[in-house]
Amino acid sequence: MGEPRKHTEVAVGVLIGPDGALLLTSRPEGKPYAGYWEFPGGKLEAGETVEQALRRGLEEELGIVIGTAHAWKVTEHDYPHALVRLHWCKVFDWRGGFEMREGQSMAWQRLPLDVHPVLPGAFPVLAWLAGETGFAGPTHRA
């Protein structure tokens, strides 16, 4: 066997609206899994914390500035193109209007989701969200 694959570290934002809806965005053309729906975020760059990467990624992709990012879960997913370690953060407040700066689409969703297909790396998080007692938005903190 060859060298073990190196993880790509990714900060992921689970943006939760006042009504409890979740923000998902589509992956833009030219990226692996183009057209699949995902929670927005970004890869960690050298020296960045998860929160710094999430702030930068959401501003670059969506044009918003987030408030506090609540570290929540860490998962791994082995895609054919990358072995990723996903650092999931819940975000309840942000400023700015949403701009789809990479030509992607966005959708506010409740569970079960109406958008498909969804990136496989999001499946565990969707299951946790569906199982959370009283998952109702900003008044609920994990």
Side-chain angles (χ1 to χ4, degrees):
M1 297 192 101
E3 290 290 313
R5 296 173 78 193
K6 187 177 184 326
H7 283 89
T8 299
E9 304 288 336
V10 180
V12 187
V14 179
L15 276 70
I16 303 170
D19 62 352
L22 307 166
L23 179 74
L24 278 87
T25 58
S26 63
R27 290 187 57 82
E29 289 302 317
K31 286 193 174 180
Y33 289 86
Y36 277 67
W37 290 86
E38 65 180 350
F39 291 96
K43 293 178 189 170
L44 273 70
E45 293 181 355
E48 273 186 325
T49 66
V50 169
E51 186 166 342
Q52 287 168 335
L54 184 61
R55 286 181 184 286
R56 179 185 47 75
L58 294 179
E59 189 164 358
E60 287 174 359
E61 289 181 21
L62 305 178
I64 61 169
V65 176
I66 63 170
T68 304
H70 304 270
W72 181 44
K73 305 261 189 194
V74 177
T75 62
E76 292 182 1
H77 193 83
D78 193 353
Y79 289 101
H81 70 285
L83 177 60
V84 294
R85 184 177 290 126
L86 303 161
H87 300 265
W88 299 90
C89 301
K90 289 184 179 180
V91 178
F92 297 95
D93 58 295
W94 53 85
R95 296 189 316 275
F98 288 92
E99 303 168 22
M100 300 295 104
R101 294 180 170 177
E102 295 184 340
Q104 73 275 45
S105 298
M106 66 177 272
W108 288 100
Q109 294 284 296
R110 294 187 169 280
L111 299 174
L113 300 179
D114 290 329
V115 294
H116 302 285
V118 174
L119 271 185
F123 293 169
V125 166
L126 291 169
W128 288 323
L129 287 167
E132 282 191 356
T133 306
F135 176 72
T139 55
H140 176 72
R141 299 280 192 257

